[in-house]
Amino acid sequence: MRSLDEKAGPAGLSKSRRERFDLANLTKAFEQIERDIQTKKLSKDEERKLVAKSKEIATRLYALKIIHKKEDRYRNISSQYDSIKAKMNGIFDLKSELGNKIGELKKSLDVLLNLRESLYEERRKIIREVREAAAKLEMVETQLNAIEFRRSRIQASEYRQRKQKESGERRESRYEVAQERAKRSKENQDRWNTLKEAALKKMSSGEKLTFEEMKLIFGDSNNPD
């Protein structure tokens, strides 16, 4: 392994600048210097230079560790930022999507409200038509009841007139029957009287009487039959 003096030249300085950003190489160099200090026989000047170099590398290692720590923290913060940014973008996208859905829901709600108003208007129209129809039906029912009442009165009047007519006809018929019966009875009585008178004349003349003639003479004078 080359000594630190050999690394002190221009090439060593260039490599040293590169090592500022190479934590692994600086760590190896620091460990090598520590071993050289502990194992090699060095003059006081060489030991002083190595100690100074060790302090320089330790300082640079500490600075690099701080830088790496900050870089890790920065990367962590950057990663968190990217994650938060992605979440925010997702939230914004979701917000936009929700906004679109809210807009669609609002349109649907407007359509439903218009439909509800149309249905209410149709309902009011139907109720009005039903009420008008009910009023017309009630008026027609009243007229039908009046017609039925007049018809029943006419039928009752016709029935009374028919009954009176039938009663008069029956009375007239009974009178005619009585007259006809009286007429037949008178005719029978006259015929019976004539036959009886003829039978009496025949008996007074001494002629022989028949059974019917005897019945006429000696039978019930009030029953010509």
Side-chain angles (χ1 to χ4, degrees):
M1 182 177 180
R2 290 181 298 176
S3 65
L4 292 176
D5 292 335
E6 293 175 345
K7 296 179 181 179
L13 292 175
S14 176
K15 187 175 182 180
S16 178
R17 285 193 296 269
R18 290 195 303 271
E19 287 177 350
R20 287 183 306 171
F21 305 100
D22 191 349
L23 183 61
N25 291 334
L26 285 176
T27 301
K28 289 179 181 179
F30 178 76
E31 292 175 352
Q32 183 63 44
I33 290 172
E34 290 295 324
R35 282 195 298 270
D36 289 344
I37 292 172
Q38 293 176 5
T39 59
K40 288 184 178 182
K41 292 181 179 181
L42 301 172
S43 63
K44 290 183 178 181
D45 185 54
E46 289 176 342
E47 185 177 355
R48 181 178 57 78
K49 289 181 179 180
L50 287 176
V51 170
K53 190 67 175 177
S54 175
K55 290 181 179 179
E56 180 184 356
I57 292 174
T59 301
R60 290 165 61 187
L61 279 173
Y62 177 77
L64 281 175
K65 287 180 179 179
I66 295 298
I67 291 171
H68 286 181
K69 186 176 181 180
K70 289 183 178 180
E71 287 178 350
D72 291 340
R73 184 179 178 187
Y74 171 78
R75 281 192 294 271
N76 187 25
I77 293 173
S78 178
S79 176
Q80 292 178 359
Y81 170 78
D82 292 338
S83 177
I84 293 172
K85 184 179 179 181
K87 290 180 179 179
M88 290 296 295
N89 290 333
I91 291 172
F92 288 144
D93 293 339
L94 182 60
K95 180 181 178 182
S96 177
E97 183 179 355
L98 289 175
N100 294 332
K101 289 184 177 180
I102 290 172
E104 293 176 358
L105 289 174
K106 187 176 181 300
K107 291 180 181 179
S108 299
L109 181 61
D110 292 337
V111 172
L112 290 175
L113 289 174
N114 293 332
L115 180 60
R116 185 183 70 173
E117 185 62 28
S118 176
L119 290 175
Y120 280 161
E121 182 63 27
E122 186 69 20
R123 178 174 174 268
R124 287 191 290 268
K125 181 180 178 182
I126 292 173
I127 290 174
R128 185 169 57 252
E129 291 177 352
V130 168
R131 288 177 178 173
E132 291 176 355
K136 291 179 180 178
L137 286 175
E138 185 177 359
M139 182 177 65
V140 170
E141 185 177 1
T142 302
Q143 293 176 352
L144 289 175
N145 290 335
I147 293 171
E148 181 64 22
F149 178 72
R150 287 195 298 269
R151 188 175 66 83
S152 62
R153 290 190 63 183
I154 292 172
Q155 287 179 347
S157 177
E158 290 177 350
Y159 178 77
R160 287 194 300 270
Q161 292 177 1
R162 187 170 61 253
K163 287 295 183 181
Q164 291 174 358
K165 182 179 179 181
E166 290 176 354
S167 177
E169 289 177 351
R170 283 197 298 270
R171 285 195 299 269
E172 184 178 354
S173 177
R174 285 196 298 270
Y175 177 76
E176 291 177 354
V177 169
Q179 291 292 327
E180 183 66 24
R181 183 179 297 172
K183 181 180 178 181
R184 286 199 304 270
S185 178
K186 186 177 182 301
E187 291 176 352
N188 291 334
Q189 186 67 40
D190 291 342
R191 187 169 54 255
W192 185 82
N193 290 334
T194 302
L195 292 174
K196 184 178 180 180
E197 185 178 353
L200 288 172
K201 287 181 178 181
K202 187 176 180 181
M203 185 181 68
S204 62
S205 64
E207 295 181 9
K208 186 178 180 179
L209 299 175
T210 64
F211 177 77
E212 292 295 332
E213 290 173 341
M214 291 177 65
K215 185 178 178 182
L216 287 172
I217 295 171
F218 300 105
D220 187 2
S221 60
N222 294 325
N223 188 6
D225 296 333

